[in-house]
Amino acid sequence: MARRYTYTAVQCRYTLGQCTDNREEPVRLTIYLPDSLAAEVRAGLTETNISAVCQAALRVELERERAMEKIDAGGYQRVQLYDGKQEHDIAFRGRKIGSSARADAWLTPKGTIAVYDRREQELWTYDEYEAFQAAHGAFEDDERRDNILLEQVAQALGAKYVEELDI
């Protein structure tokens, strides 16, 4: 069974049970958590302001949505590439979101990140930014890691890019 938690608007003063903010109208949201997550939150985040955590997560999601809207507004084009592994041409619809000396990245209308490695003449696809980041940021040698492409794709998708250091 899910537990229901109700939180009120961001940066508000609580006066006689009402939320007031000089700049905005009060907003009331209800967030549902599965019992197991609610128990973990209660046990693990006893000193944490849950409302602030939710607000931060919602801000990140809004930024991601805004970035996706910008990409969608720009439209998609037909992309045709040579697949060296299959030894034939391939095509898809995409909007370029990153480019480096080694590779180009597109976002498809279905939300897939398509990365074409020009040196290897190979297309890689990822369903989400985290999978793309894990695959392209995991190389230990700087020649294969493509920080430029990682940063551009993160920025285009409204994700946070963090360069991993091996120190």
PDB file of all heavy atoms in Angstrom, residues 121-141:
ATOM      1  N   GLN A 121      33.154   3.781 -37.659  1.00  0.00           N
ATOM      2  CA  GLN A 121      31.976   3.735 -38.528  1.00  0.00           C
ATOM      3  C   GLN A 121      30.892   2.844 -37.913  1.00  0.00           C
ATOM      4  O   GLN A 121      30.366   1.939 -38.535  1.00  0.00           O
ATOM      5  CB  GLN A 121      32.339   3.242 -39.928  1.00  0.00           C
ATOM      6  CG  GLN A 121      33.239   4.181 -40.672  1.00  0.00           C
ATOM      7  CD  GLN A 121      33.539   3.695 -42.075  1.00  0.00           C
ATOM      8  OE1 GLN A 121      33.721   2.503 -42.301  1.00  0.00           O
ATOM      9  NE2 GLN A 121      33.594   4.625 -42.999  1.00  0.00           N
ATOM     10  N   GLU A 122      30.588   3.170 -36.656  1.00  0.00           N
ATOM     11  CA  GLU A 122      29.640   2.358 -35.911  1.00  0.00           C
ATOM     12  C   GLU A 122      28.654   3.262 -35.172  1.00  0.00           C
ATOM     13  O   GLU A 122      29.025   4.304 -34.646  1.00  0.00           O
ATOM     14  CB  GLU A 122      30.398   1.479 -34.913  1.00  0.00           C
ATOM     15  CG  GLU A 122      29.559   0.406 -34.308  1.00  0.00           C
ATOM     16  CD  GLU A 122      30.416  -0.630 -33.576  1.00  0.00           C
ATOM     17  OE1 GLU A 122      31.647  -0.541 -33.561  1.00  0.00           O
ATOM     18  OE2 GLU A 122      29.795  -1.539 -33.003  1.00  0.00           O
ATOM     19  N   LEU A 123      27.386   2.834 -35.138  1.00  0.00           N
ATOM     20  CA  LEU A 123      26.332   3.578 -34.453  1.00  0.00           C
ATOM     21  C   LEU A 123      25.992   2.867 -33.148  1.00  0.00           C
ATOM     22  O   LEU A 123      25.756   1.661 -33.132  1.00  0.00           O
ATOM     23  CB  LEU A 123      25.072   3.670 -35.325  1.00  0.00           C
ATOM     24  CG  LEU A 123      23.934   4.491 -34.730  1.00  0.00           C
ATOM     25  CD1 LEU A 123      24.292   5.979 -34.744  1.00  0.00           C
ATOM     26  CD2 LEU A 123      22.644   4.250 -35.490  1.00  0.00           C
ATOM     27  N   TRP A 124      25.974   3.651 -32.071  1.00  0.00           N
ATOM     28  CA  TRP A 124      25.590   3.156 -30.756  1.00  0.00           C
ATOM     29  C   TRP A 124      24.318   3.880 -30.342  1.00  0.00           C
ATOM     30  O   TRP A 124      24.182   5.064 -30.601  1.00  0.00           O
ATOM     31  CB  TRP A 124      26.695   3.444 -29.728  1.00  0.00           C
ATOM     32  CG  TRP A 124      27.994   2.821 -30.091  1.00  0.00           C
ATOM     33  CD1 TRP A 124      28.993   3.377 -30.847  1.00  0.00           C
ATOM     34  CD2 TRP A 124      28.442   1.515 -29.754  1.00  0.00           C
ATOM     35  NE1 TRP A 124      30.034   2.497 -30.980  1.00  0.00           N
ATOM     36  CE2 TRP A 124      29.725   1.338 -30.317  1.00  0.00           C
ATOM     37  CE3 TRP A 124      27.888   0.474 -29.020  1.00  0.00           C
ATOM     38  CZ2 TRP A 124      30.450   0.172 -30.174  1.00  0.00           C
ATOM     39  CZ3 TRP A 124      28.615  -0.690 -28.869  1.00  0.00           C
ATOM     40  CH2 TRP A 124      29.886  -0.833 -29.442  1.00  0.00           C
ATOM     41  N   THR A 125      23.390   3.182 -29.693  1.00  0.00           N
ATOM     42  CA  THR A 125      22.158   3.819 -29.245  1.00  0.00           C
ATOM     43  C   THR A 125      21.959   3.587 -27.745  1.00  0.00           C
ATOM     44  O   THR A 125      22.324   2.533 -27.219  1.00  0.00           O
ATOM     45  CB  THR A 125      20.927   3.292 -30.012  1.00  0.00           C
ATOM     46  OG1 THR A 125      20.813   1.884 -29.806  1.00  0.00           O
ATOM     47  CG2 THR A 125      21.035   3.607 -31.490  1.00  0.00           C
ATOM     48  N   TYR A 126      21.372   4.595 -27.093  1.00  0.00           N
ATOM     49  CA  TYR A 126      21.151   4.555 -25.649  1.00  0.00           C
ATOM     50  C   TYR A 126      19.751   5.084 -25.355  1.00  0.00           C
ATOM     51  O   TYR A 126      19.362   6.118 -25.878  1.00  0.00           O
ATOM     52  CB  TYR A 126      22.198   5.413 -24.928  1.00  0.00           C
ATOM     53  CG  TYR A 126      23.599   5.027 -25.310  1.00  0.00           C
ATOM     54  CD1 TYR A 126      24.266   5.694 -26.337  1.00  0.00           C
ATOM     55  CD2 TYR A 126      24.250   3.965 -24.686  1.00  0.00           C
ATOM     56  CE1 TYR A 126      25.537   5.320 -26.723  1.00  0.00           C
ATOM     57  CE2 TYR A 126      25.529   3.590 -25.072  1.00  0.00           C
ATOM     58  CZ  TYR A 126      26.163   4.272 -26.088  1.00  0.00           C
ATOM     59  OH  TYR A 126      27.423   3.896 -26.468  1.00  0.00           O
ATOM     60  N   ASP A 127      19.039   4.395 -24.477  1.00  0.00           N
ATOM     61  CA  ASP A 127      17.675   4.787 -24.127  1.00  0.00           C
ATOM     62  C   ASP A 127      17.635   5.972 -23.171  1.00  0.00           C
ATOM     63  O   ASP A 127      16.619   6.650 -23.074  1.00  0.00           O
ATOM     64  CB  ASP A 127      16.915   3.616 -23.510  1.00  0.00           C
ATOM     65  CG  ASP A 127      16.615   2.540 -24.537  1.00  0.00           C
ATOM     66  OD1 ASP A 127      16.521   2.872 -25.736  1.00  0.00           O
ATOM     67  OD2 ASP A 127      16.482   1.371 -24.144  1.00  0.00           O
ATOM     68  N   GLU A 128      18.726   6.229 -22.451  1.00  0.00           N
ATOM     69  CA  GLU A 128      18.742   7.331 -21.497  1.00  0.00           C
ATOM     70  C   GLU A 128      20.149   7.878 -21.344  1.00  0.00           C
ATOM     71  O   GLU A 128      21.136   7.209 -21.661  1.00  0.00           O
ATOM     72  CB  GLU A 128      18.186   6.895 -20.143  1.00  0.00           C
ATOM     73  CG  GLU A 128      18.898   5.701 -19.575  1.00  0.00           C
ATOM     74  CD  GLU A 128      18.193   5.121 -18.364  1.00  0.00           C
ATOM     75  OE1 GLU A 128      16.969   5.242 -18.259  1.00  0.00           O
ATOM     76  OE2 GLU A 128      18.901   4.552 -17.521  1.00  0.00           O
ATOM     77  N   TYR A 129      20.234   9.101 -20.849  1.00  0.00           N
ATOM     78  CA  TYR A 129      21.524   9.771 -20.714  1.00  0.00           C
ATOM     79  C   TYR A 129      22.477   8.992 -19.810  1.00  0.00           C
ATOM     80  O   TYR A 129      23.672   8.886 -20.105  1.00  0.00           O
ATOM     81  CB  TYR A 129      21.345  11.196 -20.166  1.00  0.00           C
ATOM     82  CG  TYR A 129      22.671  11.844 -19.866  1.00  0.00           C
ATOM     83  CD1 TYR A 129      23.491  12.288 -20.899  1.00  0.00           C
ATOM     84  CD2 TYR A 129      23.127  11.967 -18.564  1.00  0.00           C
ATOM     85  CE1 TYR A 129      24.727  12.846 -20.633  1.00  0.00           C
ATOM     86  CE2 TYR A 129      24.358  12.530 -18.288  1.00  0.00           C
ATOM     87  CZ  TYR A 129      25.158  12.963 -19.326  1.00  0.00           C
ATOM     88  OH  TYR A 129      26.395  13.498 -19.061  1.00  0.00           O
ATOM     89  N   GLU A 130      21.985   8.429 -18.715  1.00  0.00           N
ATOM     90  CA  GLU A 130      22.845   7.717 -17.777  1.00  0.00           C
ATOM     91  C   GLU A 130      23.557   6.547 -18.455  1.00  0.00           C
ATOM     92  O   GLU A 130      24.721   6.281 -18.178  1.00  0.00           O
ATOM     93  CB  GLU A 130      22.043   7.239 -16.562  1.00  0.00           C
ATOM     94  CG  GLU A 130      21.613   8.351 -15.631  1.00  0.00           C
ATOM     95  CD  GLU A 130      20.437   9.179 -16.148  1.00  0.00           C
ATOM     96  OE1 GLU A 130      19.732   8.749 -17.092  1.00  0.00           O
ATOM     97  OE2 GLU A 130      20.223  10.282 -15.609  1.00  0.00           O
ATOM     98  N   ALA A 131      22.862   5.830 -19.340  1.00  0.00           N
ATOM     99  CA  ALA A 131      23.485   4.716 -20.058  1.00  0.00           C
ATOM    100  C   ALA A 131      24.549   5.231 -21.020  1.00  0.00           C
ATOM    101  O   ALA A 131      25.638   4.649 -21.140  1.00  0.00           O
ATOM    102  CB  ALA A 131      22.427   3.911 -20.812  1.00  0.00           C
ATOM    103  N   PHE A 132      24.258   6.338 -21.699  1.00  0.00           N
ATOM    104  CA  PHE A 132      25.231   6.959 -22.593  1.00  0.00           C
ATOM    105  C   PHE A 132      26.465   7.395 -21.802  1.00  0.00           C
ATOM    106  O   PHE A 132      27.599   7.122 -22.184  1.00  0.00           O
ATOM    107  CB  PHE A 132      24.594   8.166 -23.295  1.00  0.00           C
ATOM    108  CG  PHE A 132      25.579   9.128 -23.890  1.00  0.00           C
ATOM    109  CD1 PHE A 132      26.247   8.825 -25.064  1.00  0.00           C
ATOM    110  CD2 PHE A 132      25.849  10.340 -23.268  1.00  0.00           C
ATOM    111  CE1 PHE A 132      27.161   9.710 -25.610  1.00  0.00           C
ATOM    112  CE2 PHE A 132      26.758  11.226 -23.804  1.00  0.00           C
ATOM    113  CZ  PHE A 132      27.422  10.912 -24.984  1.00  0.00           C
ATOM    114  N   GLN A 133      26.237   8.063 -20.683  1.00  0.00           N
ATOM    115  CA  GLN A 133      27.343   8.556 -19.856  1.00  0.00           C
ATOM    116  C   GLN A 133      28.194   7.397 -19.339  1.00  0.00           C
ATOM    117  O   GLN A 133      29.421   7.469 -19.346  1.00  0.00           O
ATOM    118  CB  GLN A 133      26.800   9.366 -18.689  1.00  0.00           C
ATOM    119  CG  GLN A 133      27.893   9.965 -17.823  1.00  0.00           C
ATOM    120  CD  GLN A 133      27.336  10.727 -16.647  1.00  0.00           C
ATOM    121  OE1 GLN A 133      26.271  10.390 -16.118  1.00  0.00           O
ATOM    122  NE2 GLN A 133      28.038  11.747 -16.223  1.00  0.00           N
ATOM    123  N   ALA A 134      27.549   6.337 -18.897  1.00  0.00           N
ATOM    124  CA  ALA A 134      28.286   5.182 -18.382  1.00  0.00           C
ATOM    125  C   ALA A 134      29.151   4.558 -19.471  1.00  0.00           C
ATOM    126  O   ALA A 134      30.307   4.203 -19.233  1.00  0.00           O
ATOM    127  CB  ALA A 134      27.312   4.149 -17.814  1.00  0.00           C
ATOM    128  N   ALA A 135      28.615   4.446 -20.677  1.00  0.00           N
ATOM    129  CA  ALA A 135      29.365   3.824 -21.767  1.00  0.00           C
ATOM    130  C   ALA A 135      30.513   4.697 -22.254  1.00  0.00           C
ATOM    131  O   ALA A 135      31.611   4.209 -22.516  1.00  0.00           O
ATOM    132  CB  ALA A 135      28.422   3.506 -22.924  1.00  0.00           C
ATOM    133  N   HIS A 136      30.279   5.998 -22.354  1.00  0.00           N
ATOM    134  CA  HIS A 136      31.294   6.884 -22.926  1.00  0.00           C
ATOM    135  C   HIS A 136      32.222   7.504 -21.897  1.00  0.00           C
ATOM    136  O   HIS A 136      33.246   8.066 -22.259  1.00  0.00           O
ATOM    137  CB  HIS A 136      30.628   7.962 -23.783  1.00  0.00           C
ATOM    138  CG  HIS A 136      30.104   7.403 -25.057  1.00  0.00           C
ATOM    139  ND1 HIS A 136      30.832   7.346 -26.203  1.00  0.00           N
ATOM    140  CD2 HIS A 136      28.923   6.813 -25.328  1.00  0.00           C
ATOM    141  CE1 HIS A 136      30.131   6.768 -27.139  1.00  0.00           C
ATOM    142  NE2 HIS A 136      28.965   6.431 -26.635  1.00  0.00           N
ATOM    143  N   GLY A 137      31.906   7.409 -20.635  1.00  0.00           N
ATOM    144  CA  GLY A 137      32.772   7.960 -19.610  1.00  0.00           C
ATOM    145  C   GLY A 137      33.585   6.902 -18.892  1.00  0.00           C
ATOM    146  O   GLY A 137      34.396   7.211 -18.034  1.00  0.00           O
ATOM    147  N   ALA A 138      33.368   5.640 -19.258  1.00  0.00           N
ATOM    148  CA  ALA A 138      34.009   4.544 -18.534  1.00  0.00           C
ATOM    149  C   ALA A 138      35.422   4.228 -19.015  1.00  0.00           C
ATOM    150  O   ALA A 138      36.111   3.448 -18.385  1.00  0.00           O
ATOM    151  CB  ALA A 138      33.149   3.284 -18.670  1.00  0.00           C
ATOM    152  N   PHE A 139      35.851   4.812 -20.120  1.00  0.00           N
ATOM    153  CA  PHE A 139      37.173   4.493 -20.636  1.00  0.00           C
ATOM    154  C   PHE A 139      38.252   5.084 -19.740  1.00  0.00           C
ATOM    155  O   PHE A 139      38.178   6.236 -19.337  1.00  0.00           O
ATOM    156  CB  PHE A 139      37.340   5.030 -22.063  1.00  0.00           C
ATOM    157  CG  PHE A 139      36.362   4.446 -23.030  1.00  0.00           C
ATOM    158  CD1 PHE A 139      35.459   5.261 -23.689  1.00  0.00           C
ATOM    159  CD2 PHE A 139      36.324   3.092 -23.262  1.00  0.00           C
ATOM    160  CE1 PHE A 139      34.551   4.730 -24.579  1.00  0.00           C
ATOM    161  CE2 PHE A 139      35.416   2.550 -24.147  1.00  0.00           C
ATOM    162  CZ  PHE A 139      34.519   3.371 -24.813  1.00  0.00           C
ATOM    163  N   GLU A 140      39.254   4.283 -19.431  1.00  0.00           N
ATOM    164  CA  GLU A 140      40.321   4.762 -18.565  1.00  0.00           C
ATOM    165  C   GLU A 140      41.332   5.618 -19.315  1.00  0.00           C
ATOM    166  O   GLU A 140      41.958   6.482 -18.727  1.00  0.00           O
ATOM    167  CB  GLU A 140      41.016   3.586 -17.892  1.00  0.00           C
ATOM    168  CG  GLU A 140      40.107   2.908 -16.878  1.00  0.00           C
ATOM    169  CD  GLU A 140      40.792   1.802 -16.126  1.00  0.00           C
ATOM    170  OE1 GLU A 140      42.032   1.753 -16.131  1.00  0.00           O
ATOM    171  OE2 GLU A 140      40.083   0.987 -15.527  1.00  0.00           O
ATOM    172  N   ASP A 141      41.486   5.365 -20.605  1.00  0.00           N
ATOM    173  CA  ASP A 141      42.449   6.185 -21.351  1.00  0.00           C
ATOM    174  C   ASP A 141      41.723   7.376 -21.973  1.00  0.00           C
ATOM    175  O   ASP A 141      40.606   7.273 -22.447  1.00  0.00           O
ATOM    176  CB  ASP A 141      43.172   5.361 -22.421  1.00  0.00           C
ATOM    177  CG  ASP A 141      42.239   4.754 -23.457  1.00  0.00           C
ATOM    178  OD1 ASP A 141      41.037   4.636 -23.169  1.00  0.00           O
ATOM    179  OD2 ASP A 141      42.720   4.409 -24.536  1.00  0.00           O
TER     180      ASP A 141
END
